[in-house]
Amino acid sequence: MTHVIELSGAAKRYGSAGAPALGPLDLGVAQGEALAVIGPSGSGKSTLLNLVAGLDRPTEGTVTVAGQRIDRLSEHALARFRREQIGMVFQFFNLLDDLTVADNIQLPAQLTGTARRRAAARAGELMEVLGITRHARAYPGRLSGGERQRVAVARALVNRPALLLADEPTGALDTASGHDVRQLLVDLHRGGQTLVLVTHDLALAEACASRTIQLVDGRLAVDTRAETVR
Amino acid sequence: MSLFGTGALGRVVRSGVGRRRVQSAVIAVATMMAVASAVVAGALVVASNAPFDHAFAEQHGAHLTAQFDPAGVSTAQLESTGRLDGVTASAGPYPSTTVSPVDPGGGHLPRLSLVGRSGPHGAVDDLDVTSGRWAARPGEVVLSASFSGPALGIGSALRVSDAADSPTLTVVGFAVSAGESADAWATPEQVRTLAAADGPATVQMLYRFASAGTAGQIAADRRALAAAVPSGSLLGTTSYLDTKRAADRGAAPTIPFLTAFGVLGIVMSVIIVSSVISGAVGTSLRRIGILKAIGFTPGEVVRAYVAQALIPAGAGIALGVVLGNLLALPLLEDTGRAYGGASLTVAWWVDVLVPAVALLVVGIAALVPALRAGRLRTVEAIAVGRAPRTGRGQWAHRAAGRLPLPRPVTYGLAAPFAHPVRAAAMLLAVAFGTVAATFAVGLTSSLNAVGGASDPEERAAVTAVSGGPTVNGVPEPGAPAAGGAVEHRTPGPGGSSPRPPSADPAKVRAAIEAQPGTASYYGMSHADVTVAGISGPVRATLYQGDSRPGGYEMISGHWLTGAGQVVVPTHLLETTGTRIGDTIRVTLGRDSESLRIVGEAFDTSNDGLSVHAELADFAAAEPQVFQIEVKPGVSPAGYARQLAAVVQPLGADVMANSPSPKENMILLLDAIAALLTLMLVCVAGLGVLNSVVLDTRERVHDLGVCKALGMSPRQTLALVLSSVAGIGVLGGLVGVPVGTALHGFVLPVMGRAADTRLPPSVLDVYDAPRLVLLGLAGVLIAVLGALLPSGWAARARTATALRTE
């Protein structure tokens, strides 16, 4: 089976002394898999996500994503890797308030040098799929939490990434919006999108993930696979 | 209880200053540069304001310098004149004489008045020894500082005259007498010895009077003095008013220039300090909200944030005063030298006023946003940075997004519109920096053009001197050479400047024509003439042949093209109330001619009272000097040697001319312009730096998002630099025309102060390529100011940036 993510003895220490915040960890995530990472605060969930996204480097071991050893890439190469291979969804959306919804979604495509017309077409397509076309010219500040997260998902998908990373995607949403986003992630997974989901929300993990790992004090405590995703 | 009211408040202030190290450092450095430039500008403006009066008052200069005949008046009688009614102080009697020394290179110095004084100090004319020491024994001499230069320094040996057995005096120091009581000083015994051997023996007395403000009062004082001594024993007097008039005329042109730079510096300092401080406080709103949430009163918040601004700003102000003084002192020393006065110091009140005003500006700049912060509701303050930004600048992002440019660039271009006030402050900083650079470049070019336009006869490669009492390169007795220094000429064969030669001009002319290598030449003669409408003699330069190569820059009209014409400077036109096309009557000896004014020349020599005419108009005049251009490839020195071999036996002499050094005043103004511009550009760059630091801090989270989405470090750099590029372009577009307008305003004012209009070569110094380059200066200032924070932004760790609130 092809692994989109491959961590081998990967560990991250902050400072020279003390226990690592994460690992050493061996982990493989297969193409099309939806992995939920759960665990208490400080267990290393966000650190794992940062290592996989190339936002941080391991202090030990290797991290390979989509066939690339990203732990030894330059900053420039990491940026290119992120824009081509990774889509990220954040708890607090992290939309750029100065840009319209359409501009926010197009931004990653434009960073890769995609022609404006093509980027706009792809953004339009995603807005259509996610039901936010009517907000295309609106600014994020005017949208509800659920709508903003949909914009964030659209932005994450605009470059057709090999991997979608979601960090507490429903953490800042009300119940109804959270449910919408949950369904969106399920749909994406069903469509074949490889997904890594960091969450405290066990219900979300259960609904979206084909596999769940639990981290405790930076170490892999539980690794379970679901029969099917609901 | 701490300085800030409570221990908690003190800790908040200290932690605020320490936590925002970059911003604190920017505040300190920006304030330091602003205060330093204000101190330098202020000190120079003060120094240029009546420099003679300041130096004269400091030295207790002599209102009247009197020369007495020692044979006609006793020492006791002279000493008693110091007790006359109206005399408030006196010094002397000092033995004095005049000498015509020869420098180590054989060049003749102008005739010097030499006074015997046992020390530099006294109740009157308390001399300032600017270098070296006072003459302590016979054989030593102290020269007026105006003679100090590359050709004459401490240790130089001067022969008192051309005579073979002439005694030698070693220069041991240079001194300044604000009232110009003498050109040189030696021990009294030395002066007596020289006077007995060769020169005229006189005695000098120096007086200060209770009433000496006007020429009339000085004349009355002189009459009282003459009446107190035996008739005929008072040989002559010099009024300080004459010296003051000449000194003020020399200083006047610099005042508009220094005022322009001073105002620029002060306005820029105020803008930068205000924007830096208010920006620093304005970006702390969230922290302010937290402080209020945990129980700080609005008053405590205000005090805490004003103090946080005042601590680094106070350090910057203190350092700025020190730096300003360090930078100002050498400039003031040069200024004093250029004005011919004693060396100047930074006025004490500049050192008090500038920091006081700076503190006030800092206080107000911090107080306004701090009061706003203090009044802000706690919930609102905490929400700052968390709630989405709405409104400002979004239209700009929409518009910029349509530009056919890379997205990071268009995103950056629109960024300033989110903070219009901050962007306006940055724009002002860049525009002022560009104004300063444009003005300075124009001024320097103009000053260089002035230097190039003065003494056009010195452009000739070779000068042949045929003879006469007042020939070029050999100053008249008693008149100092240009700039007060020894003439810098390459001597011809023989190795030294000769005695004033005397040869038949026709034979010299024939020799020049016959000499291989002659490209062109013209004859010249200086003479004193009288001009109808002007009392006293007027300096005339009379030309023979095609004098265009030695012609002055023309302000209007044209240079001489034939007999019957005269070219005059602005001041003479104004004095005589004439215009181009009018006729003036010029009399040389018995020749009196009506000459038509054909041109207004840029000639400030002889206080702008001179005439240029054809020698042919005055039958009795003969050329004293021939100015020669040599053919390309011919060495002027070699030509001079060969010509000298022919004309020296005729009684003439030849010298190859070396390029004239720039005048002291031009060098000084160039240096001041360069320094002040550098400082103002640095202040402008710091203003940009501060704004970009604030912007980058505020946008660090957004930048983290962009980087998480795949924005590379290079794209991040492009984004941040683009955010100032537009402001740089706009600053350049505003700054260049304002700078050229300032130049166009100040230069004529400087000219008017020197009693002349200015020719196009001095005024029209901005050509299109130069204007474009100066316009780019705005972009350069902006980009240089933003380089550091853009580097930080590019290097910032994405994960850290994303966590930043």
Side-chain angles (χ1 to χ4, degrees):
Chain A
M1 185 182 285
T2 317
H3 280 162
V4 175
I5 302 171
E6 186 79 59
L7 273 73
S8 175
K12 177 69 184 176
R13 285 174 198 277
Y14 296 103
S16 53
L22 179 71
L25 188 66
D26 294 306
L27 179 69
V29 178
Q31 173 100 43
E33 202 167 24
L35 174 73
V37 183
I38 60 172
S41 294
S43 60
K45 302 188 300 290
S46 292
T47 304
L48 173 62
L49 201 72
N50 286 345
L51 292 184
V52 172
L55 299 178
D56 218 338
R57 293 173 196 275
T59 44
E60 295 161 36
T62 63
V63 179
T64 305
V65 179
Q68 269 186 291
R69 271 283 300 276
I70 64 167
D71 54 282
R72 54 185 185 191
L73 290 180
S74 67
E75 281 301 314
H76 185 82
L78 272 175
R80 194 183 306 154
F81 157 78
R82 274 197 299 274
R83 70 169 83 124
E84 288 169 359
Q85 305 292 350
I86 303 285
M88 287 197 81
V89 178
F90 303 90
Q91 179 179 4
F92 292 106
F93 327 119
N94 282 342
L95 298 173
L96 299 174
D97 301 322
D98 302 325
L99 304 185
T100 62
V101 163
D103 284 343
N104 262 288
I105 296 169
Q106 289 174 46
L107 183 61
Q110 290 175 316
L111 290 177
T112 63
T114 305
R116 190 184 316 208
R117 191 169 293 176
R118 278 185 59 199
R122 171 69 177 150
E125 191 182 297
L126 286 167
M127 284 190 285
E128 182 74 39
V129 170
L130 297 171
I132 48 174
T133 305
R134 68 181 187 283
H135 299 305
R137 294 172 67 84
Y139 288 91
R142 297 177 184 273
L143 305 184
S144 71
E147 288 165 336
R148 276 189 244 172
Q149 200 59 297
R150 281 175 178 272
V151 175
V153 170
R155 183 179 67 181
L157 296 175
V158 75
N159 284 339
R160 297 188 171 85
L163 185 59
L164 181 65
L165 305 177
D167 187 4
E168 301 283 7
T170 58
L173 301 179
D174 58 46
T175 311
S177 299
H179 181 79
D180 278 357
V181 170
R182 181 194 306 173
Q183 194 53 49
L184 179 59
L185 294 174
V186 168
D187 292 345
L188 284 171
H189 175 48
R190 283 189 179 139
Q193 177 70 53
T194 310
L195 183 65
V196 175
L197 175 67
V198 168
T199 183
H200 279 101
D201 183 352
L202 293 176
L204 176 68
E206 197 179 323
C208 300
S210 57
R211 180 183 172 195
T212 301
I213 61 170
Q214 185 179 9
L215 296 180
V216 177
D217 295 334
R219 292 183 175 275
L220 187 60
V222 179
D223 186 348
T224 57
R225 288 175 193 277
E227 292 282 315
T228 53
V229 176
R230 272 169 280 182
Chain B
M1 189 104 158
S2 84
L3 181 65
F4 307 110
T6 68
L9 194 57
R11 275 196 294 280
V12 165
V13 171
R14 281 193 297 276
S15 74
V17 173
R19 196 171 67 92
R20 297 185 164 234
R21 281 190 297 273
V22 173
Q23 206 159 322
S24 297
V26 171
I27 291 175
V29 175
T31 317
M32 179 184 78
M33 295 299 289
V35 167
S37 57
V39 167
V40 171
L44 288 170
V45 170
V46 171
S48 64
N49 179 22
F52 175 85
D53 294 348
H54 291 134
F56 190 76
E58 205 169 290
Q59 289 193 349
H60 308 291
H63 291 138
L64 203 64
T65 301
Q67 301 293 333
F68 293 93
D69 180 359
V73 61
S74 69
T75 302
Q77 284 173 313
L78 287 174
E79 282 171 353
S80 70
T81 58
R83 295 186 289 276
L84 289 172
D85 276 353
V87 175
T88 56
S90 68
Y94 302 128
S96 65
T97 186
T98 55
V99 291
S100 299
V102 180
D103 72 14
H108 285 76
L109 266 68
R111 183 170 287 270
L112 304 181
S113 60
L114 179 68
V115 171
R117 282 173 66 165
S118 51
H121 303 299
V124 181
D125 198 31
D126 191 13
L127 300 177
D128 187 4
V129 179
T130 54
S131 61
R133 60 172 174 80
W134 193 251
R137 58 187 70 87
E140 295 180 343
V141 68
V142 173
L143 291 179
S144 165
S146 60
F147 290 98
S148 172
L152 208 54
I154 291 173
S156 297
L158 298 175
R159 282 188 296 125
V160 172
S161 72
D162 270 331
D165 58 346
S166 167
T168 298
L169 299 176
T170 303
V171 179
V172 295
F174 289 95
V176 167
S177 166
E180 297 182 6
S181 62
D183 300 314
W185 297 267
T187 61
E189 308 84 70
Q190 176 69 75
V191 175
R192 281 190 206 102
T193 307
L194 290 174
D198 195 20
T202 56
V203 172
Q204 184 187 68
M205 284 291 293
L206 306 170
Y207 299 96
R208 284 179 68 84
F209 299 101
S211 303
T214 64
Q217 287 171 334
I218 289 285
D221 293 331
R222 188 188 186 285
R223 281 195 296 276
L225 199 60
V229 293
S231 174
S233 62
L234 177 58
L235 300 174
T237 56
T238 308
S239 162
Y240 83 104
L241 290 174
D242 296 332
T243 316
K244 173 180 158 56
R245 199 172 302 119
D248 287 350
R249 186 186 289 276
T254 65
I255 293 170
F257 151 73
L258 288 173
T259 306
F261 260 117
V263 169
L264 266 179
I266 289 161
V267 170
M268 254 182 92
S269 305
V270 170
I271 289 171
I272 302 299
V273 169
S274 319
S275 72
V276 166
I277 302 293
S278 59
V281 177
T283 53
S284 306
L285 290 181
R286 190 170 138 67
R287 191 161 181 263
I288 288 167
I290 294 170
L291 291 180
K292 291 178 83 171
I294 61 173
F296 278 78
T297 65
E300 285 173 327
V301 167
V302 170
R303 268 154 49 210
Y305 276 84
V306 170
Q308 276 183 49
L310 280 176
I311 287 173
I317 288 169
L319 288 170
V321 171
V322 174
L323 180 67
N325 276 266
L326 289 175
L327 290 170
L329 284 176
L331 288 177
L332 287 171
E333 199 173 297
D334 289 346
T335 307
R337 204 173 297 142
Y339 291 158
S343 54
L344 304 160
T345 54
V346 178
W348 67 268
W349 56 268
V350 170
D351 278 342
V352 173
L353 188 66
V354 170
V357 170
L359 268 177
L360 189 69
V361 169
V362 168
I364 292 171
L367 193 61
V368 172
L371 282 173
R372 190 163 59 91
R375 282 199 302 270
L376 204 63
R377 286 175 52 221
T378 307
V379 175
E380 286 172 5
I382 288 177
V384 171
R386 278 194 180 276
R389 292 188 301 272
T390 52
R392 283 192 310 201
Q394 288 172 338
W395 65 268
H397 280 280
R398 253 196 329 270
R402 295 195 186 104
L403 295 173
L405 292 169
R407 194 64 178 108
V409 173
T410 57
Y411 193 55
L413 284 175
F417 295 93
H419 289 287
V421 174
R422 190 182 297 163
M426 201 179 346
L427 176 64
L428 275 177
V430 174
F432 269 100
T434 311
V435 168
T438 306
F439 179 53
V441 166
L443 184 79
T444 311
S445 306
S446 294
L447 290 173
N448 291 340
V450 167
S454 60
D455 303 324
E457 61 273 13
E458 291 186 6
R459 290 180 210 142
V462 176
T463 300
V465 183
S466 60
T470 54
V471 294
N472 182 50
V474 182
E476 274 189 298
V486 182
E487 289 285 304
H488 294 280
R489 293 263 172 155
T490 306
S496 66
S497 279
R499 289 184 188 85
S502 181
D504 179 353
K507 288 181 179 171
V508 176
R509 187 166 51 237
I512 293 169
E513 278 180 0
Q515 180 67 33
T518 304
S520 65
Y521 73 95
Y522 63 91
M524 222 172 80
S525 177
H526 287 304
D528 283 344
V529 298
T530 55
V531 174
I534 297 178
S535 61
V538 170
R539 187 73 154 174
T541 307
L542 307 174
Y543 302 87
Q544 182 184 63
D546 183 1
S547 58
R548 281 175 300 179
Y552 279 77
E553 291 280 347
M554 300 305 296
I555 296 167
S556 57
H558 62 80
W559 184 247
L560 302 171
T561 54
Q565 300 178 352
V566 65
V567 168
V568 298
T570 309
H571 190 41
L572 191 134
L573 285 177
E574 289 170 352
T575 307
T576 55
T578 50
R579 290 182 301 183
I580 291 176
D582 291 350
T583 299
I584 55 171
R585 189 130 190 103
V586 179
T587 304
L588 171 61
R590 292 181 180 180
D591 289 340
S592 195
E593 292 292 327
S594 287
L595 303 177
R596 192 166 57 84
I597 301 171
V598 295
E600 179 185 358
F602 178 56
D603 175 10
T604 55
S605 60
N606 305 298
D607 287 344
L609 289 178
S610 55
V611 294
H612 302 268
E614 289 289 337
L615 211 107
D617 288 320
F618 301 92
E622 288 279 6
Q624 299 159 330
V625 172
F626 291 92
Q627 305 290 7
I628 306 162
E629 289 301 331
V630 295
K631 287 179 177 166
V634 174
S635 151
Y639 177 95
R641 262 195 308 276
Q642 288 166 8
L643 183 62
V646 180
V647 300
Q648 272 186 341
L650 303 174
D653 200 6
V654 182
M655 48 196 122
N657 297 325
S658 51
S660 314
K662 274 189 189 178
E663 275 188 43
N664 280 350
M665 185 61 83
I666 290 176
L667 286 173
L668 174 66
L669 292 182
D670 278 355
I672 293 175
L675 178 71
L676 288 176
T677 306
L678 193 65
M679 293 182 76
L680 294 184
V681 167
C682 280
V683 172
L686 283 167
V688 175
L689 170 70
N690 176 69
S691 297
V692 180
V693 165
L694 294 179
D695 258 350
T696 310
R697 274 190 183 285
E698 273 188 12
R699 306 182 70 87
V700 67
H701 185 262
D702 283 358
L703 289 172
V705 171
C706 288
K707 292 175 90 170
L709 296 177
M711 186 176 279
S712 68
R714 207 174 299 156
Q715 287 175 317
T716 312
L717 201 70
L719 187 156
V720 179
L721 291 182
S722 307
S723 72
V724 297
I727 287 175
V729 170
L730 201 58
L733 287 175
V734 173
V736 169
V738 174
T740 51
L742 185 65
H743 175 268
F745 172 74
V746 170
L747 261 288
V749 175
M750 288 171 79
R752 270 199 295 281
D755 283 330
T756 181
R757 294 201 301 147
L758 298 172
S761 66
V762 173
L763 290 174
D764 303 336
V765 291
Y766 298 104
D767 52 16
R770 184 175 282 193
L771 287 174
V772 171
L773 282 177
L774 286 168
L776 290 177
V779 180
L780 192 69
I781 291 168
V783 167
L784 285 179
L787 215 49
L788 215 55
S790 63
W792 297 332
R795 285 193 302 273
R797 284 161 42 93
T798 311
T800 313
L802 281 172
R803 280 197 297 271
T804 308
E805 288 179 341

